[in-house]
Amino acid sequence: MAGIAVFSHAACSRHDTGWHHPEHQGRLREIMRAIDRSLAELAPYVTSIQGEPVDPDRLTLVHSRSHVDRVAVAAERAAARDNPVRLDWDTVVSAASWDAALAAAGCAVSAVEAVTAGEYGAAFCPVRPPGHHATFDRAMGFCLFNNVALAARHAVDRGLADRVLVVDWDVHHGNGTQEILYEDPGVFYLSLHQSPHYPGTGSVTERGRGEGKDTILNLPMPPGLPAAEYVGALLHAVDGVQDAFAPDLVIVSSGFDAALADPLGGFTLESEHFRELTLELVRRTAPTARGRLVSVLEGGYNVEALGRGVVTHLIALRDAEAELA
C-alpha cells in the first residue's frame, strides 16, 4: 500500500448550476480550501491525482445510450443559448456539464483501477456533479451519470474485483444506484438514509431481484436521532454484509449531507461520526477487502461542514491504512 489518493479533475468545478442551487461550484472550492488548511497533517500521506474522463461508451455499462446522448445534447443546448438548461426541476446542465460529468465518472473509475492495482491503499474522489440518483435512463436529484454504480460495475466487468460492496451514507436514498444494481449479483448495495425524504425510495422490502436477490439492504431512519443510532445501525449492517457477502472492494457513496445542520437533511452526524464510520468500515471489511476502499463525493450542502467532513474522512482513511500496514 502507498497512501491515500485524491482523484479530482478541474472540469468538475466548471459544472455551473448557479449559486442559488444547493449543489453549486463553491462545494468543491471549500473542500480544496479545507484540504489546503490541513496539508501539514495530510501531505505526507495523501497524493493528488488527476483522473481521466471516462469514454462516453463506457457509460452504457450503467446507462442507456439515449440517456447518455440526452445529457450531451443538453450541454450543447446550454452552450448555444449561453444559459444552463434543466433536465428536471432541480437537475441543471450547463455548457461545461458534459465535460464535468465525464470527468466525475472517470475519476471514480480511475480510483478503482489504482486501488485494485495496489498503487494506493484507498482513494477519495471530490467530484461533481454527484451521481447516486441518476438511474439507467434518467438524470435527477442533481445527478447526471451514476459515478459509483459505474465504478462498481467496471471493477467486476474488468475482473478487478469479484464482489463489490457499495455503502451509501448520503442522507438521501441512492435510488439510481439501487435501480441499476437491482439484479446484479456482483455488487451489494447498502444504504442508510432519512425516511420519509427525497426521493421516496429505499424501503426495507426492496432487496434485489433475480440473481441479485438479497444484495440490496436499506436502512431507512427518521431524522433527529442521536448520531450514535445512525452509526450503530450502519455498522451492524456492515457486519452482516461482511459475513454473507465477503466483499473484496468497498466503494462509498460519501454524502456529507448526513451532517448536523445540513440544509437538505435531518441527520445529526458530526466530524467524529464520519471518522468512526470510515475507520470501522475499513476495519470490518478488512478480512476480505484488505483495506481497498474508494470513496466518491455525493451530497453535502453546508459547505463548512462539508470541508470538515472530507478532511476528517481523509485522516481516517490514513489512520485505517496505518492499522493494516
Side-chain angles (χ1 to χ4, degrees):
M1 294 185 182
I4 310 304
V6 174
F7 280 82
S8 61
H9 197 287
C12 293
S13 295
R14 294 192 286 270
H15 170 56
D16 184 6
T17 59
W19 286 99
H20 62 284
H21 195 284
E23 205 290 289
H24 56 69
Q25 291 169 296
R27 297 178 69 235
L28 289 189
R29 294 181 190 179
E30 180 58 32
I31 287 172
M32 296 311 175
R33 281 196 292 262
I35 291 174
D36 285 345
R37 290 193 295 267
S38 303
L39 277 181
E41 190 167 7
L42 293 174
Y45 312 97
V46 175
T47 303
S48 179
I49 306 291
Q50 179 173 292
E52 292 293 327
V54 74
D55 185 326
D57 289 339
R58 196 65 180 152
L59 292 168
T60 59
L61 268 180
V62 295
H63 293 297
S64 68
R65 172 59 64 181
S66 61
H67 172 64
V68 175
D69 292 345
R70 192 177 305 122
V71 175
V73 169
E76 291 171 359
R77 286 174 51 214
R81 294 171 45 180
D82 194 26
N83 203 37
V85 300
R86 291 181 180 268
L87 298 180
D88 66 15
W89 68 276
D90 63 1
T91 307
V92 178
V93 175
S94 69
S97 295
W98 172 252
D99 289 341
L102 294 184
C107 284
V109 168
S110 297
V112 161
E113 291 177 342
V115 168
T116 55
E119 298 173 16
Y120 301 96
F124 173 66
C125 303
V127 295
R128 54 186 294 274
H132 73 154
H133 294 308
T135 71
F136 177 73
D137 198 43
R138 181 185 174 193
M140 62 179 289
F142 314 162
C143 302
L144 301 182
F145 300 133
N146 199 306
N147 308 318
V148 162
L150 176 65
R153 188 159 282 169
H154 177 83
V156 175
D157 182 69
R158 291 288 171 86
L160 307 177
D162 294 321
R163 298 170 308 283
V164 180
L165 168 61
V166 173
V167 176
D168 189 337
W169 64 49
D170 191 282
V171 79
H172 305 95
H173 181 244
N175 60 300
T177 309
Q178 175 176 289
E179 179 197 285
I180 290 166
L181 302 174
Y182 209 65
E183 299 185 36
D184 192 332
V187 185
F188 196 108
Y189 178 66
L190 168 61
S191 175
L192 170 74
H193 50 273
Q194 182 176 323
S195 179
H197 203 26
Y198 180 89
T201 53
S203 79
V204 295
T205 61
E206 297 163 8
R207 297 299 304 268
R209 183 171 51 237
E211 292 185 351
K213 189 176 186 298
D214 294 326
T215 60
I216 304 289
L217 180 57
N218 287 309
L219 306 173
M221 299 186 73
L225 297 178
E229 294 194 32
Y230 299 120
V231 172
L234 184 58
L235 294 179
H236 178 73
V238 168
D239 287 339
V241 175
Q242 176 63 28
D243 290 342
F245 189 71
D248 53 1
L249 174 66
V250 178
I251 302 178
V252 180
S253 264
S254 191
F256 293 94
D257 49 4
L260 181 69
D262 189 276
L264 298 189
F267 277 9
T268 55
L269 277 63
E270 299 190 67
S271 292
E272 63 265 29
H273 304 113
F274 289 111
R275 173 178 172 80
E276 182 180 359
L277 285 173
T278 305
L279 281 169
E280 288 299 326
L281 181 56
V282 174
R283 288 168 177 161
R284 294 174 191 224
T285 59
T288 53
R290 306 187 308 280
R292 302 195 311 177
L293 182 148
V294 172
S295 177
V296 182
L297 181 66
E298 299 284 2
Y301 308 104
N302 177 327
V303 293
E304 291 182 359
L306 174 61
R308 290 194 303 271
V310 166
V311 169
T312 299
H313 185 50
L314 288 172
I315 292 171
L317 288 174
R318 178 204 68 186
D319 293 347
E321 183 190 34
E323 288 184 7
L324 297 179

